[in-house]
Amino acid sequence: MSAAERAAARAVRNLLARQHADGWWKGDLQTNVTMDAEDLLLRQFLGIRDRATTRAAARFIRSEQSADGSWATFHGGPGDLSTTIEAYVALRLAGDAPDAPHMAAASARVRERGGVAASRVFTRVWLALFGWWPWEELPELPPEMIYLPKWFPLNIHDFGCWARQTIVPLTVVSAKRPVRPAPFPLDELHTDPARPLDGRVRTPATGWDRVFHRLDAALHAYRAVAVRPLRRAALRACARWIVERQENDGCWGGIQPPAVYSVIALHLLGYDLDHPVLREGLASLDRFAVWRAGDGSAASPQSRESPASAEVPASGESPEPGAGDTGPSRMVEACQSPVWDTCLAAVALADAGVPADHPALVKAADWMLGEQVLRPGDWSVRRPGLQPGGWAFEFHNDNYPDLDDTAEVVLALRRVRHPDPARVESAVGRAVRWNLGMQCADGAWAAFDADNTSRFPNRLPFCDFGEVIDPPSADVTAHVVEMLAGEGLAGDPRTRRAVDWLLAEQEPHGAWFGRWGVNHLYGTGSVVPALVAAGVPASHPSVRRAVAWLESVQNDDGGWGEDLRSYADPEWIGRGASTASQTGWALLALLAAGEEEGKAVQRGVGWLAATQTADGGWDEPQFTGTGFPWDFSINYHLYRLVFPLTALGRYVRTMSGATGPAAASPGAASPESPDAAPPQSPAPAPPADRAAPASP
């Protein structure tokens, strides 16, 4: 047996052992410590911050601090001003003294970067909640915008779904301008405490930015003359909008930021903490927490400090900070990814030769079939006559299914020999019709909405962090094209338009930009297999340019890597330490292009085999996923397993004479008897790096 076959077999056993008894997979979704800091600030604002949560969150925040005193937004990245401010404030809430060495280093870094005045708007909103920043110095968001019709610029549907869910509750917060008593001053975070507003970004002299800053000034003036009955009605309308979009699990859109702001907004509108909406909302946020024991292993609920011990550290009283503090830590996920992880895991296992009727694959298919969204959501505003049929990313998010998950779920279902094929056909038919109906005017696909391309929202002074619209992307379009080709629609005019769009989007160096993964390696690893599946020959000039680019950026060790700085600096494109997931993406493109016997593929496969850990996985501290390119980065903990396994599986199949990805047909090869490790118990043990997630 070759090294690639052995590596694939070990990875199969690892992945099978991680499956939940209900059929799904979910790895940790790690972002940055603003999630943890804002969680503590929310609890402080609501008056529910407890000692156990505070201390555990502080341990995690401290563990992520860089040597220079700052906090970054991704592993190995540069310090980020706003992230450092929020982390510092959270540790002050935990009782860390401002003159402690790690705190003094952090505040010095903040002052060097311009202090609070130079931070992003969202950070200053959190500080304004406690009087640490004046509300009148923040951009205005009037709740009356809820009434803007969908044809009017800057209506709420001009924003991407994630921004829309955040903007609406923030209009309530902006209107109310609440201030809770500050538990301590933050003079040390200003370059000059006597003039804390110094360092603010000044209005540009020309261009659209000046127009939108003048609009903001007009909105500030409007606040003083707003018709009170209209404002009260707008606030009630915002409350209804928020409550109507709460999911069955209590969250909003399955993501943390809208949930946090929705809880604050509703509380400001009179919802008490015992109201079912807020009670379930707060409970959903607790389910986003990953607890780890002091040694880094998963922490059971019994190992947590009892929440009954609810005293909160006094200001300036440090609760055992430093190297000797080895209690449990708590990391808050910005989102949870079970549908995405499950379909990718199913594809990886099938492509590695796990039989199409293997119990793990059938159970995964059953769970995915039960997650299909069968009711309209906000996407219906632009496609009112389209019947639903997509899948969302999370456990519960019926309002915002996405095109990417839907395409990949179909690709996964087609690899399973399900005992009820009619059920699969019905679900796939709905999904294909929905995906086709969500095609944008230019022939491509975006993640959540169709034709969500207005450039006005990004210019608002409030929107200085991340992408707030949802234009088409090469990676999502590629996944949809690959799915349509698999459904026999490669020659459909709509598929051909998308193929033409992809060919036109190729960059001069031969790669494609990656919107939802880092970066050109993800884009290229998505597009090349899709083009080939849709009938573009491997000899096509676009495919050859992509192959040449991948060969040119392969690292000396045989792997591939691309740093997140490639989003901000072209010099980083295709450059970075080798990672398992990015090496998998590069190999998927090269294998689709017929390069299985080429030197680049052989070296890449060799790197994966040589760097595999004893348990069949790979170490990958790097962040290779994105929420917003550069601004918000993600380490999907399952990427380090599913993408290398998919690449190894396709390589082994190709070298053994099989062609194309595995399909639901009898006789698939089973590498090193993966049946030896299917989930047999009602609740298989979770991976060592997380506590078992709650069943949906």
Side-chain angles (χ1 to χ4, degrees), residues 282-568:
L282 289 169
S284 76
L285 291 174
D286 283 335
R287 289 193 290 271
F288 278 38
V290 177
W291 287 77
R292 296 191 180 98
D295 60 1
S297 63
S300 68
Q302 290 75 21
S303 71
R304 306 179 193 182
E305 297 172 79
S306 172
S309 177
E311 71 262 30
V312 176
S315 173
E317 180 186 334
S318 180
E320 312 171 29
D325 188 13
T326 57
S329 66
R330 179 180 186 268
M331 180 191 81
V332 175
E333 296 177 296
C335 185
Q336 296 184 320
S337 53
V339 174
W340 185 241
D341 287 347
T342 300
C343 63
L344 294 178
V347 167
L349 291 170
D351 287 5
V354 172
D357 59 355
H358 189 286
L361 291 179
V362 173
K363 186 172 287 188
D366 276 333
W367 184 79
M368 287 187 285
L369 289 167
E371 291 296 305
Q372 190 171 28
V373 177
L374 301 177
R375 71 170 180 83
D378 277 5
W379 54 268
S380 304
V381 169
R382 285 194 166 91
R383 294 292 186 270
L386 182 61
Q387 293 300 304
W391 274 267
F393 186 76
E394 304 88 352
F395 284 121
H396 296 282
N397 184 8
D398 284 355
N399 206 46
Y400 296 107
D402 68 270
L403 285 299
D404 215 8
D405 276 271
T406 302
E408 288 294 331
V409 167
V410 171
L411 289 167
L413 290 174
R414 288 306 196 193
R415 285 164 161 80
V416 181
R417 191 183 307 111
H418 194 272
D420 188 354
R423 184 184 178 200
V424 174
E425 289 298 328
S426 178
V428 168
R430 287 191 295 266
V432 170
R433 289 189 292 274
W434 185 71
N435 267 36
L436 286 171
M438 293 292 288
Q439 190 171 26
C440 294
D442 61 4
W445 281 271
F448 295 92
D449 282 306
D451 299 319
N452 184 258
T453 55
S454 171
R455 294 299 173 182
F456 290 142
N458 280 332
R459 295 187 178 277
L460 286 173
F462 207 97
C463 299
D464 65 348
F465 174 68
E467 185 69 81
V468 298
I469 59 173
D470 185 16
S473 68
D475 39 37
V476 174
T477 300
H479 294 154
V480 177
V481 165
E482 185 177 4
M483 180 272 289
L484 293 175
E487 294 303 304
L489 295 170
D492 187 284
R494 294 163 291 188
T495 307
R496 302 321 303 169
R497 287 184 64 216
V499 168
D500 290 342
W501 186 90
L502 287 172
L503 293 172
E505 286 293 303
Q506 188 175 27
E507 299 192 12
H509 47 63
W512 280 266
F513 178 83
R515 165 62 180 87
W516 297 97
V518 184
N519 170 350
H520 295 81
L521 288 173
Y522 183 70
T524 307
S526 301
V527 171
V528 173
L531 292 177
V532 173
V536 175
S539 59
H540 191 282
S542 289
V543 177
R544 302 326 302 168
R545 285 199 301 273
V547 168
W549 180 78
L550 288 168
E551 292 174 342
S552 73
V553 299
Q554 188 172 23
N555 288 332
D556 291 340
D557 60 12
W560 280 267
E562 186 171 8
D563 193 277
L564 275 145
R565 278 167 275 220
S566 63
Y567 286 114

Side-chain angles (χ1 to χ4, degrees), residues 55-70:
R55 295 183 65 173
R59 291 185 187 104
F60 177 72
I61 292 170
R62 289 189 207 107
S63 74
E64 295 294 301
Q65 189 175 20
S66 301
D68 68 356
S70 67

